[in-house]
Amino acid sequence: MTARSEGAATGAAAPGAIVAAADGATAGDWRDAVRAAASALVAAGAAGEGYPEACVRVVEENGPYIVLTKGLALVHARPEEGGLAVGVGVTRLAAPVQFGHPDNDPVDLLLAFCTPDPDAHVGTLSGLARALSGGLADRLRAASGEDDLARILKEALPNA
């Protein structure tokens, strides 16, 4: 896994956000995939130890709404469930997994994020939405490895 804490440009909403990347992660099911994506944020110091299980509970309680588009899930939990800093991560799976989404399964790419407060949560979510609408998922799928995944994610989120 690659993790970087980098300052953002002047005027950025979240300077010093942590960017994490994992490539070729193995997952037996969607729970394993969510844990892998959220654990990258824990390993990078952006989330507390309980954050991966909080992210699993989000899907257990609300269904696979986090599967936003074909093959892509947005892993997250509420800030009070373990967000220590603003962190964004990408996990590319070695083999896709089913989440039970009627249209967008299977998932091979997971974006995870955590924030320490609700305002940062909304800002980070907004930045990810803009990046995704600009083709971020395709660029991440074409990445050559972890370092490239981290670079692409950081470039797509200049305010992170």
Side-chain angles (χ1 to χ4, degrees):
M1 183 197 68
T2 298
R4 294 196 172 97
S5 178
E6 300 176 10
T10 304
I18 296 168
V19 174
D23 194 20
T26 58
D29 62 15
W30 70 262
R31 287 175 179 85
D32 288 345
V34 167
R35 286 183 189 110
S39 292
L41 297 174
V42 174
E49 291 294 325
Y51 197 70
E53 289 307 316
C55 293
V56 168
R57 280 193 307 277
V58 166
V59 180
E60 289 175 341
E61 293 170 4
N62 302 298
Y65 81 96
I66 69 167
V67 183
L68 300 181
T69 188
K70 294 273 186 213
L72 183 130
L74 183 61
V75 174
H76 64 285
R78 297 171 57 96
E80 62 270 19
E81 295 185 280
L84 304 176
V86 175
V88 291
V90 56
T91 299
R92 190 164 54 179
L93 299 176
V97 297
Q98 299 288 327
F99 272 72
H101 193 282
D103 301 316
N104 296 328
D105 272 347
V107 170
D108 65 325
L109 193 63
L110 297 97
L111 291 175
F113 78 96
C114 62
T115 62
D117 62 71
D119 289 339
H121 188 89
V122 171
T124 302
L125 184 56
S126 175
L128 284 167
R130 276 191 306 277
L132 286 168
S133 69
L136 175 61
D138 291 338
R139 291 193 305 277
L140 290 169
R141 284 190 178 98
S144 62
E146 283 184 3
D147 288 341
D148 204 25
L149 285 166
R151 179 190 58 76
I152 291 165
L153 185 56
K154 186 66 181 169
E155 286 174 359
L157 299 168
N159 291 335

